[in-house]
Amino acid sequence: MLVREATLRSLITDIFAAGGSEAAEAAMLSDHLVDANLYGHDSHGVGMVPTYIKHVKSGRVFANRPVTLAHDGGALMVFDGGLGYGRRAAGEAMAQAVARARETGVVAFALRNAHHIGRVGRYGEMGIEAGFVSIHFVNVADHGPLVAPHRGSDARFSTNPFCVGIPAGRTTKPLLLDMATSKVAMGKVRVAYNEGKALAPGLVMDDRGQPSTDPSVMFREPMGALTTFAEHKGYALALVCEILAGGLGGGGTIQPATPRKGGIINSMFSVVIDPARLVDMDWLGREIDAMIAYAKGSPAADPALPVLVPGEPERLSAEARRRDGVPIDPTTWGEIMDAARRVGLDPQALERRAAA
Ligand code: NAD
């Protein structure tokens, strides 16, 4: 089904509000997930609502918890999410780091103990909106691993995302690199599994470490594993994300002594830089424009697939989905309706609003 963006925002806001969030938090969570759908990242969109509601009902996340500043070392800051919603914790931490970087020129900060922070690109965008460059390393704890190390045969990592935001040039749009270090997000494997489709080769291995195209290897015991992008390089970056994000803020890595209670805890290590402290901004804007034009000027090997830059596929997706509506597969929609029922809403009333 296709749901209009505005309708989806208001339906999902109502579900989070009924789940106990104050109005501003409910709207923030809804916007964050709907934006992920608009940008084409359905794995981090409204399909996460059932998980968030399950976790708030079981005490794996707590509504209405602001982030706290656990250590203030000037240009070094450590924030604690207090097991509140990750979008709120990471957004509040990023806002404080940006404000501090206006004074100091650079801030390195760590966030620990936050629930799922979702699409990490949102925090890169917050840096971009302030005119700042930002770099983000993320790990995931509190649940079992999903991704095998290069040359390994079972899961030892999560999908450890990495993100870099770079403000716009003089004529070009901002650059936003926002990616998991696995070749494919777990949500995309779930979609293939729900639809009974085979995966492309190279994305998963079975429980004996053998290559597979069957998504069910990730949904049975013993479980298989996802592979890292770019073989050894993706694995190496995932390990760096684990140690920077899970280590420097004190939240812990996914190694087995860190408790796994079945929730999702994201830790993030970020660096926020005011580029105006380093170079002339007019020059930098022209340099970014020239570099993007140079990269995009490479003749497409396949004329149907022109060279793009990071952030561009998401802008194209958002344009189409704002116009046509957000596609939601029947399994995901059914799970969202179940979540609505769990928080005391009438799914039929929501269905009618979605169809209007
Ligand atoms: P992806 O593979 O679709 O895209 C990754 C990046 O590649 C994006 O920056 C995109 O702009 C860029 N890109 C895509 N095609 C391009 C092209 N042709 N040329 C140039 N650049 C191109 O994304 P993904 O790895 O599936 O990640 C999806 C989302 O999942 C991200 O928002 C990520 O933050 C999120 N995520 C979150 C968690 C978490 O624990 N919170 C974990 C994993 C992933």
Side-chain angles (χ1 to χ4, degrees):
M1 65 191 285
L2 284 173
V3 186
R4 307 298 315 167
E5 172 197 351
T7 309
L8 197 54
R9 285 187 198 280
S10 93
L11 290 179
I12 302 299
T13 300
D14 288 355
I15 296 175
F16 283 123
S21 288
E22 289 160 0
E25 182 174 276
M28 174 191 273
L29 294 171
S30 170
D31 284 344
H32 188 56
L33 298 180
V34 174
D35 285 348
N37 287 107
L38 286 179
Y39 295 151
H41 294 302
D42 295 338
S43 55
H44 287 71
V46 296
M48 290 303 295
V49 169
T51 302
Y52 286 16
I53 293 299
K54 185 173 92 184
H55 287 175
V56 82
K57 287 283 178 196
S58 59
R60 303 260 70 84
V61 60
F62 295 92
N64 310 316
R65 287 224 175 141
V67 82
T68 55
L69 184 55
H71 170 72
D72 190 348
L76 286 167
M77 306 169 91
V78 179
F79 295 94
D80 195 313
L83 215 52
Y85 279 115
R87 166 64 185 87
R88 176 170 183 174
E92 290 177 354
M94 187 64 190
Q96 290 188 47
V98 162
R100 180 66 58 82
R102 288 193 202 289
E103 298 165 24
T104 57
V106 62
V107 165
F109 79 88
L111 169 69
R112 66 183 181 215
N113 207 20
H115 189 250
H116 190 239
I117 65 172
R119 189 181 67 90
V120 183
R122 178 60 204 132
Y123 317 107
E125 287 165 2
M126 289 179 71
I128 288 168
E129 287 156 15
F132 292 172
V133 170
S134 65
I135 307 165
H136 309 266
F137 303 85
V138 178
N139 87 325
V140 194
D142 206 29
H143 73 82
L146 299 169
V147 182
H150 182 60
R151 297 187 174 179
S153 61
D154 66 1
R156 303 280 161 138
F157 289 88
S158 192
T159 49
N160 297 56
F162 172 69
C163 171
V164 180
I166 301 177
R170 286 164 64 93
T171 58
T172 49
K173 305 267 191 217
L175 293 172
L176 187 66
L177 169 61
D178 173 25
M179 56 175 224
T181 46
S182 54
K183 221 172 246 172
V184 70
M186 184 61 195
K188 290 170 188 163
V189 179
R190 182 172 290 109
V191 170
Y193 177 64
N194 287 344
E195 293 176 353
K197 288 186 181 157
L199 293 166
L203 305 183
V204 293
M205 60 184 72
D206 66 18
D207 59 293
R208 290 164 297 116
Q210 296 307 305
S212 173
T213 57
D214 178 0
S216 74
V217 298
M218 296 304 293
F219 297 92
R220 59 181 185 227
E221 286 298 332
M223 197 184 74
L226 304 178
T227 55
T228 53
F229 85 97
E231 286 76 30
H232 57 289
K233 300 180 190 184
Y235 155 54
L237 183 56
L239 184 57
V240 165
C241 285
E242 273 299 333
I243 292 174
L244 294 186
L248 294 191
T253 64
I254 199 168
Q255 59 90 5
T258 304
R260 291 178 187 163
K261 296 179 183 162
I264 305 175
I265 295 182
N266 273 149
S267 292
M268 176 165 76
F269 176 72
S270 303
V271 183
V272 180
I273 303 158
D274 178 358
R277 304 283 190 114
L278 294 172
V279 285
D280 175 77
M281 290 303 284
D282 273 347
W283 176 86
L284 181 62
R286 283 194 301 275
E287 195 67 11
I288 290 172
D289 290 348
M291 187 59 229
I292 289 178
Y294 183 54
K296 291 185 62 117
S298 178
D302 172 350
L305 297 172
V307 174
L308 304 176
V309 291
E312 203 172 355
E314 287 76 10
R315 278 194 292 277
L316 295 171
S317 166
E319 222 171 86
R321 289 181 170 194
R322 285 202 170 100
R323 185 186 60 228
D324 304 333
V326 176
I328 301 184
D329 68 80
T331 308
T332 300
W333 183 255
E335 288 169 359
I336 295 171
M337 291 303 107
D338 287 344
R341 196 175 295 111
R342 275 194 88 174
V343 293
L345 297 180
D346 172 11
Q348 283 176 346
L350 297 186
E351 297 266 11
R352 282 195 295 276
R353 277 166 66 192

